[in-house]
Amino acid sequence: MRLCRACGHVGCCDDSLHRHATAHHRATQHPIIEGYDPPEGWGWCFVDETMVDLPDQTPQRGPIPRYG
């Protein structure tokens, strides 16, 4: 699962059928996602097409919340 760092949207990764995280970026232009479930300690910038360090990882406290 991938977490949008701009708004908190949770979507599946590009290895999944519908690639919801990438679709969310295309719809919103939000630039950075975080490897979230399980916490993976990295981010991806769609704009620069590169991995980014995330020293402030989003804490995972229970089930993934639903947004929107």
Side-chain angles (χ1 to χ4, degrees):
M1 301 302 288
R2 307 293 179 246
L3 176 79
C4 175
R5 296 284 293 207
C7 72
H9 176 271
V10 175
C12 57
C13 67
D14 282 354
D15 289 336
S16 297
L17 181 62
H18 298 291
R19 301 176 176 164
H20 290 116
T22 297
H24 175 74
H25 161 70
R26 288 182 181 141
T28 64
Q29 298 303 303
H30 293 164
I32 298 176
I33 57 171
E34 175 179 350
Y36 185 65
D37 185 31
E40 298 176 24
W42 58 266
W44 176 258
C45 178
F46 287 104
V47 176
D48 297 325
E49 296 184 347
T50 189
M51 300 286 280
V52 293
D53 291 326
L54 296 176
D56 60 336
Q57 295 176 39
T58 304
Q60 203 175 29
R61 298 185 182 115
I64 295 173
R66 294 190 179 270
Y67 292 89

